[in-house]
Amino acid sequence: MFSEVVVVGQIARDLVVEVPDAPPADGSVPVKQRQELLGGKGANQAVALSQLGVTVSLVGVVGQDAVGDALCARARADRIGTTHVVRRPGVETALIVDVVDDQGRRRYLEHVPGATLVTETDVFAASAPISAAGSLIVQLQQPAPAALLAARLAHTAGTRVVLDGAPEDGTFATDLLALADVLRADGHEAELLTGQPVEDVAGAARAAADLRRRGPSLVVLEVAGQGNLFAGPAESWFVPHVETEVVDPTGAGDALVATLTAALTRRRPLETAACLAVAAAAATTEHAGGRPHLSHPVLDRLRPRLETVHA
């Protein structure tokens, strides 16, 4: 049985460490709490989709090691399809350490071996579920040739293509945008794609118009510290960030992309999808770690605080 959404992206062991403050060089601090989680952008998005009741499959890579065993078991417990999670022999599963202090500041330590990135062969093996899905999320932190193949397979089959981010070196950006239905990018990623800084809503609107001319019908751009612009084929809305207590910003963008995709896949109106996506991002900042804790009651709690502004 095929899934409504397929996610192509990173899978990692997340070690989340909460401390009062980061120690200085040669210093130490006590750890208040730690968690070991199924993480990585791909897994976070797949978890969010599953929590929202959408059937989802994950295309990613883990090692043929005990950590990989545990992460695959956790994904299955989260009702995520793992048939196309590749077990790479002789490779250590990726590790991300997220150190969060009492001021909501985070520091990352990442061990992501090159062999834990998705290849074109991995993507081609998942051709059938990608082609049968309603939507495909492709994270552009993965190698550009693999991302491009996934987008081509989906586009050819009529599957909605949702791009998350931007290739760091710009490789295949033009080809990827031409295949996309939806693009979501933060300010840095938008600048990589357009060559122009996104410092305010007007700048985001100009960048979104440029990007929409290159392919996607919906472009979602973050304005740092302010909110997100949703520029669609008929209307555009700016949705400010929700006022909430931020414990850790990790995973907010993943929750936004997953919830937006879920809403579009279920044919929700764009303005509703935008509000749900921003509420999901806010909810994910209320706890340490990037693993989302989403449900319709959680989103309904935050949605009344949201206001959309026509841009």
Side-chain angles (χ1 to χ4, degrees):
M1 185 182 204
F2 293 127
S3 299
E4 293 173 271
V5 179
V6 174
V7 179
V8 177
Q10 186 184 65
I11 307 170
R13 174 191 179 200
D14 267 8
L15 175 58
V16 183
V17 181
E18 297 178 62
V19 297
D21 202 354
D26 299 322
S28 66
V29 294
V31 172
K32 296 166 56 180
Q33 186 172 335
R34 77 178 193 188
Q35 305 174 68
E36 297 191 31
L37 306 169
L38 166 66
K41 290 182 68 65
N44 287 341
Q45 291 177 351
V47 168
L49 286 156
S50 179
Q51 289 175 348
L52 294 171
V54 175
T55 57
V56 57
S57 294
L58 185 55
V59 179
V61 181
V62 296
Q64 237 177 28
D65 53 13
V67 174
D69 292 341
L71 295 185
C72 288
R74 178 67 259 181
R76 289 190 290 271
D78 285 325
R79 302 184 306 280
I80 297 168
T82 60
T83 301
H84 295 284
V85 171
V86 176
R87 307 298 306 275
R88 197 88 81 207
V91 174
E92 288 183 281
T93 297
L95 169 67
I96 299 173
V97 181
D98 176 16
V99 181
V100 188
D101 67 23
D102 284 347
Q103 288 73 50
R105 296 173 299 193
R106 59 182 175 175
R107 296 162 180 84
Y108 284 153
L109 303 172
E110 300 187 28
H111 178 231
V112 182
T116 63
L117 300 177
V118 175
T119 68
E120 292 170 276
T121 300
D122 302 331
V123 169
F124 188 75
S127 297
I130 288 172
S131 299
S135 299
L136 169 77
I137 301 175
V138 185
Q139 284 148 21
L140 300 186
Q141 297 83 357
Q142 296 293 311
L148 183 60
L149 176 58
R152 280 179 173 155
L153 290 169
H155 180 78
T156 300
T159 298
R160 178 185 292 103
V161 177
V162 180
L163 300 182
D164 177 14
E168 281 295 330
D169 60 0
T171 305
F172 299 124
T174 297
D175 294 334
L176 282 161
L177 289 170
L179 297 169
D181 298 289
V182 181
L183 168 72
R184 198 274 172 168
D186 62 22
H188 170 68
E189 293 160 343
E191 185 170 355
L192 287 174
L193 290 166
T194 65
Q196 300 295 322
V198 175
E199 298 173 341
D200 52 25
V201 178
R206 288 191 295 271
D210 175 24
L211 291 164
R212 288 192 64 248
R213 284 192 292 269
R214 296 161 66 184
S217 60
L218 172 62
V219 172
V220 183
L221 299 181
E222 181 186 27
V223 181
Q226 298 182 49
N228 287 270
L229 175 73
F230 292 76
E235 294 184 271
S236 295
W237 294 273
F238 180 72
V239 187
H241 291 315
V242 179
E243 291 293 330
T244 190
E245 182 179 352
V246 176
V247 174
D248 180 4
T250 302
D254 299 336
L256 187 152
V257 170
T259 304
L260 176 66
T261 303
L264 294 176
T265 303
R266 294 288 177 87
R267 303 185 183 279
R268 304 291 292 272
L270 177 54
E271 187 173 10
T272 301
C275 288
L276 288 168
V278 172
T284 303
T285 69
E286 292 181 331
H287 59 265
R291 179 184 171 86
H293 299 162
L294 300 183
S295 65
H296 291 292
V298 167
L299 299 184
D300 290 342
R301 171 176 62 82
L302 293 168
R303 279 182 66 193
R305 307 185 203 175
L306 288 164
E307 294 182 4
T308 61
V309 179
H310 280 86

